[in-house]
Amino acid sequence: MVRAGDDLAALIEASLARAGLVLRGDDVLVLAQKIVSKAEGRSVALASVTPSPEAEELAARVQKDPRFVELVLSESQRVVRARPGLLIVQHRLGFVMANAGIDQSNLGQEGHALLLPRDPDGTAAALAARFGCPVIITDSFGRAWRRGTVGVAIGAAGLPALWDLRGRPDLFGRSLQVSISGFADEIAAAASLLQGQGAEAQPVVLVRGLTWDAPPNPAAELVRPESEDLFR
């Protein structure tokens, strides 16, 4: 179990050595957000949280612990939707997600909640520099018009998180007009099949064999800007 202050890179290096794996420059390391947040000390004891009147009122509407709701609000720009059992917000980093990504599973600490990393793109960049290969940090998201959660990238470095394919030809030479690939999200979803959602204890996945020919950009590029938002 990863704990606050742990050197994630050292833990991963030890695991690679045990597996007899040597990283290549075009490998991609995919890390579950949970171990990043744990190492960064983002676990908060609910007993230490004093809910505001706004949190108390919202907690009554969504039927959640007011202290938990206070943490959600502290990490959010705005509340998008709220109903009993569900609280969708826009996270301070721009992600629209349930509970601001705050989680209480697989913590090993009763009465605690885990916040997202402070700067997942920055953490990914630091790890990519240390490992000499791209790094993606993932979380599990629901989707507004589809059921079920999927892995998505909340941090990325060393590859194009968003890959603009417009202008490239299709099989018959027709120029692509609107194709922009959420490249890091696609990798995150594939890795999530191995990482799992419960007791799999597989928080790091090594992806090998990918190719790309676009410059790197961070996961922040995946967040749709307000000027393009047709549903707000």
Side-chain angles (χ1 to χ4, degrees):
M1 297 296 287
V2 173
R3 294 176 174 84
D6 281 352
D7 185 339
L8 267 186
L11 293 175
I12 294 168
E13 286 167 348
S15 294
L16 289 165
R18 286 195 299 272
L21 292 167
V22 177
L23 289 176
R24 305 171 184 171
D26 57 353
D27 285 343
V28 180
L29 279 174
V30 185
L31 283 62
Q33 160 269 324
K34 188 148 294 178
I35 61 170
V36 176
S37 291
K38 284 183 175 182
E40 292 183 354
R42 299 288 281 162
S43 179
V44 178
L46 291 178
S48 70
V49 179
T50 302
S52 63
E54 181 186 6
E56 294 274 10
E57 185 276 331
L58 184 57
R61 286 168 53 199
V62 299
Q63 299 173 4
K64 294 180 181 288
D65 187 324
R67 301 168 300 177
F68 181 85
V69 172
E70 177 63 33
L71 287 177
V72 172
L73 291 177
S74 73
E75 287 286 288
S76 303
Q77 299 179 31
R78 67 186 179 100
V79 175
V80 178
R81 291 288 185 272
R83 65 167 173 75
L86 183 67
L87 179 56
I88 306 294
V89 299
Q90 184 178 16
H91 188 271
R92 59 180 174 79
L93 295 172
F95 312 127
V96 175
M97 60 197 312
N99 301 325
I102 299 174
D103 195 1
Q104 293 181 277
S105 65
N106 284 327
L107 296 188
Q109 294 176 296
E110 199 63 36
H112 282 65
L114 193 68
L115 282 57
L116 291 188
R118 288 184 178 85
D119 178 13
D121 276 330
T123 298
L127 290 170
R130 179 156 171 180
F131 288 120
C133 73
V135 169
I136 292 174
I137 298 171
T138 71
D139 198 7
S140 298
F141 274 47
R143 297 153 298 163
W145 295 279
R146 297 181 72 84
R147 300 171 75 184
T149 61
V150 297
V152 303
I154 63 168
L159 49 67
L162 192 69
W163 186 358
D164 191 345
L165 301 172
R166 291 174 296 183
R168 300 191 181 213
D170 68 7
L171 284 172
F172 303 97
R174 187 176 187 275
S175 179
L176 299 175
Q177 301 296 312
V178 296
S179 297
I180 302 176
S181 171
F183 191 53
D185 278 346
E186 294 193 303
I187 299 168
S192 182
L193 293 173
L194 296 176
Q195 290 173 335
Q197 300 292 329
E200 292 84 355
Q202 194 93 327
V204 181
V205 172
L206 170 59
V207 179
R208 176 165 287 170
L210 293 173
T211 60
W212 58 88
D213 61 1
N217 54 52
E221 291 293 319
L222 293 163
V223 177
R224 188 180 297 280
E226 188 172 348
S227 61
E228 297 178 8
D229 190 337
L230 301 180
F231 301 97
R232 191 177 304 234

